[in-house]
Amino acid sequence: MRIIKDTLGVAGNDVPQSIIFAVSLLAFGCSIDGDWDQARGHVEALQRIIDSCGGVHTLDFELQRTVTWTAYRVSAALRLPPIFPIPRFLNVGPSPLAFLDDAQIRAWRTVKRFPKDSSFVFDIVVRLHQLGLATSAEWYGEMDQRALSNMYFEALECTVVAQLDEPWSATIAAGAQRQEAATMFKIWAAGLPVFVCGTIRHVRSRLGMIIVERRICDPLLARVRDLLDSLGGYHAWPRGKNLEPVLATLFYCVESCESIDAWRPWCMDALRKVVEMLKIKSVDEFKKVLDHFPSTNEYRNAADEIWREMTQGGSAASTPSLTFSTLQ
């Protein structure tokens, strides 16, 4: 850190790219450690340094991708605007038509789980379905890896923008259910980066690589909790079909937590309560609802384990009000 400061002090506007890389690593490392204030500070410093050097486009392409991914991680976690454009690979191979058709069909199925006039959902979830399919055992070997890399950036940027722009605000109808729908959309949007990072973790696990993506979810889980807790108890939670996107979000949240994670009991209890409110009685019904939303092979495999934990395990002592009595 001292070397970085000393170099910046004498470099002026001619900052070595090695220093930019080092600052990016500091931001990335802080995000892994869950030190989000420090991560944000490093990203802001990164932006100032890069702007003083003429902009991100002046960097080596791989460094552009490194700093942009780091910045997007922090933006996704802290609901900050993306500060760099996506550094896309050009001249990538076309995706198979069957792959694109499958993603679009799945995306329209997802749209139907949302209130009417929510067509904006399609543009978001089609990217997530593409990502889920592209990282699946069926398609991963056939994908141009440069195209897949572009998909990661596009999906994460899309989830960042969705949280900030709240496109549902212009579409949900006025009335008693407006607040209910708005809450559902906010919870759903908070869970989108959890899904994107989950796909990365799943591929890394499948390939035997180091997994470093879990801590990015902590601020997102806190946002989901705050949204649900601020409603004054589960009696004020969204109802009916509006609960299905909440179910999917909480499922992503539970799956992102290791068994010893301090977040897991709360996430599991909240998911258990949503399952109860939706009157889901079996693992097949549980998986049928989840099947309407973006997924991966690993998410589908996790559904059975999470269902067993919900139905056979006890609720967390810290939240005794979230019981699962109707399913026991």
Side-chain angles (χ1 to χ4, degrees), residues 14 62 77 90 100 108 110 143 158 172 190-191 209 233 252 309 314 320:
D14 189 21
E62 286 303 323
L90 303 178
L100 296 174
W108 281 120
T110 302
M143 299 300 299
C158 184
I172 53 180
M209 300 171 66
Y252 299 149
E309 186 175 345

Side-chain angles (χ1 to χ4, degrees), residues 16-208:
Q17 295 200 13
S18 59
I19 295 298
I20 295 174
F21 178 64
V23 176
S24 176
L25 282 182
L26 287 172
F28 188 82
C30 288
S31 71
I32 292 174
D33 291 339
D35 191 344
W36 292 103
D37 288 339
Q38 286 289 331
R40 179 174 183 170
H42 289 313
V43 167
E44 290 172 348
L46 194 62
Q47 183 179 17
R48 290 194 298 271
I49 294 169
I50 291 174
D51 286 347
S52 72
C53 295
V56 70
H57 65 279
T58 64
L59 305 180
D60 291 340
F61 183 67
E62 286 303 323
L63 184 55
Q64 290 182 43
R65 294 172 61 77
T66 298
V67 300
T68 301
W69 185 256
T70 297
Y72 281 13
R73 279 174 55 94
V74 176
S75 292
L78 302 183
R79 298 183 70 234
L80 300 173
I83 59 176
F84 302 126
I86 296 175
R88 290 179 174 85
F89 282 109
L90 303 178
N91 302 318
V92 299
S95 299
L97 288 178
F99 164 83
L100 296 174
D101 288 345
D102 194 359
Q104 291 195 6
I105 291 170
R106 291 169 184 262
W108 281 120
R109 290 181 62 212
T110 302
V111 171
K112 292 179 180 179
R113 313 318 294 176
F114 288 82
K116 293 180 180 179
D117 301 320
S118 299
S119 57
F120 67 88
V121 171
F122 178 86
D123 295 330
I124 298 171
V125 298
V126 72
R127 296 182 185 278
L128 304 188
H129 280 295
Q130 287 177 352
L131 193 57
L133 287 170
T135 56
S136 69
E138 178 183 0
W139 289 107
Y140 185 74
E142 298 186 35
M143 299 300 299
D144 183 327
Q145 293 301 298
R146 295 170 302 171
L148 177 56
S149 182
N150 287 346
M151 287 182 194
Y152 279 125
F153 277 92
E154 291 163 357
L156 191 54
E157 182 196 45
C158 184
T159 66
V160 171
V161 172
Q163 290 191 81
L164 293 171
D165 289 355
E166 298 189 350
W168 53 86
S169 299
T171 63
I172 53 180
Q177 294 186 335
R178 179 179 175 83
Q179 182 60 43
E180 180 180 300
T183 299
M184 176 272 291
F185 275 118
K186 290 178 181 179
I187 293 170
W188 168 71
L192 298 179
V194 179
F195 172 83
V196 174
C197 292
T199 66
I200 297 170
R201 177 165 40 81
H202 296 162
V203 172
R204 284 181 171 273
S205 176
R206 199 184 311 151
L207 298 177

